[in-house]
Structures are given as structure tokens and as C-alpha cells.
Amino acid sequence: MKKIDKGRKFVQDNLALFQCPNCQAPFINVVENTVSCANQHAFDLSKKGTLYFLNHAVNTEYDDAMLVSRRKVLTAGLFDGIVTAVAAALPTDKQTILDVGTGEGTPFAKLLAQRDNIDTALAFDISKAGVNLATQLETDAFFAVADLAQLPFADATFSSVVEFFSPSAYAEFNRVIQPNGTLIKVVPNHFYLRELREMLYPVGSKHHTYDNQQVVDLFMQNYPNTEIRDVTYQWNIPADLYADLLHMTPLHWGARPEAQQMAENTPLTSITVDVQLLITKFD
């Protein structure tokens, strides 16, 4: 089945999950490859089987080269321990699940591959380049280009929402998550990628270490009953992927040129993955 046909079938089968981001009316039909709402706002499926819901131009820092580097490193397993922890935190029965800020999609695809049930799975990102890469993955998930602050999904739609290192929009999460739904947010912890940080930034720099306390505090303000799980491990870096690891994160962007060059010339053999899972269950 062509990607556009697969995408059209997903939307036809799950039309009630969506709503128009322009007027919040439900989508009412799919004619050929066009989805339209009750107020006649129309969105066309791309050849890759995705929907583009933005009505304004977007510039993101994640360019094609960076996304390709991320694909290589994440495929090789950098986030596998995180994905396994998220899978263990999700309900075991079939879910309607949303991945927020999916990027190039590898963590979500790996998460779905670990599930015993055939979930109804959607993912979105504001980066069209990231979503286009995500459509290359072997997964039944549906991908869209959308704005976190104006989700094109109906109220109380998802039984689970996950986000790997993505920004949050709590009002929108509260709107689209079902009663008794699960929200899992993955945030970097103090020692996340510490070897790169310490190489690229001097002691005393705000980037030399990482502190996620403000992010955690805001999450806890919104969801006081949150459970926090720490996930920490060492990942052995394949020698041929060190350059991709260096360039897949924003860490090197703000470093001094001489520090960047030193990092290029001093390959690491392992890296620390240190994150927190913030897990909350809706009433």
C-alpha cells in the first residue's frame, strides 16, 4: 500500500480523533485525499501520507543534517533504555497514544515495537523535515505536522500521551487526554550527556551541567500526584557514530569554536544517559 493510501485509510478509520485547528470543529469527511471540517477548512494528505496542520511558516533549529544524525544514533540505541522505561510505565492494554514532538520518530517507533497490543498511534512535530523522516520508519503510526499549542485533535481523545524531551502545553494535554489517561514526560537529568557538556563548556558555564528543576516543578504544579522514575545508564558509542552524536544535539551550537574542534578531535567511547520520567494518571 502506498503511503498516501495508508494515511488516508488511517484518517478515514479514525476521523473522530481529529478536529480542525482553525475553528475546532470536527472533521466530517475525507474526499479523495482531502480532509475537511464542518466549516469547510480543508487539509490535503501529502504523498508521504501525512497531514500538515500549520497555517504559518515555521523555522526550526533542527535541520536535515541534524535530524539524519539523530536517526543514526537513536537507531543504534542511545535512547533504548529510555524507551524501555516508558514502555514499562504505560498501561498494558491497547491504547490510543500520542507522541508529542516526535522529531524524526525513532523513539516512538521503538516504543510501539515493544508493545504487545496494536495501539492506535499518532505522532506530530512542528518540523516538516522531522515528520518526513518519520514516515520512512516501519510503523503503523500516523504522523502530522502540527503546533503543540493548537493540537488538531478532539477532546478526550488519547488514553496515553508521551513526550521525549519535548516542550509541553498543559492546557492542551488536559483537553485531549481521556479520564484515567496516562501522561509520561521524559526530561534530561543532571548528568545527561555529561561527557559532552564537560568537554564543550568550561566549569562555571551554565551549560557545563544541567538542572531540570524548573521543568519538574512546573509539571508537579500541574500534576501534584506525579511519580518520578530515574533512568541512568552508560551507552557505548559506536566509533563511526561519534560525529553524529556530537551533531545530533544543540549542545555544540553555543560552544566556542576551539571547544568544538577539540570535541571533534577527541572521540568519546561512552556517554551517560540520565533522565527522569514524570508519570501522571488523570482522574
Side-chain angles (χ1 to χ4, degrees), residues 152-184:
F153 307 116
D155 295 357
T157 295
F158 297 101
S159 53
S160 289
V161 172
V162 298
E163 51 171 344
F164 296 87
F165 306 98
S166 172
S168 298
Y170 297 120
E172 280 293 82
F173 292 172
N174 295 342
R175 182 180 67 79
V176 302
I177 296 178
Q178 298 172 1
N180 300 313
T182 301
L183 170 62
I184 302 175

Side-chain angles (χ1 to χ4, degrees), residues 2 16 100 146 183 257:
K2 293 181 179 179
V100 174
L183 170 62

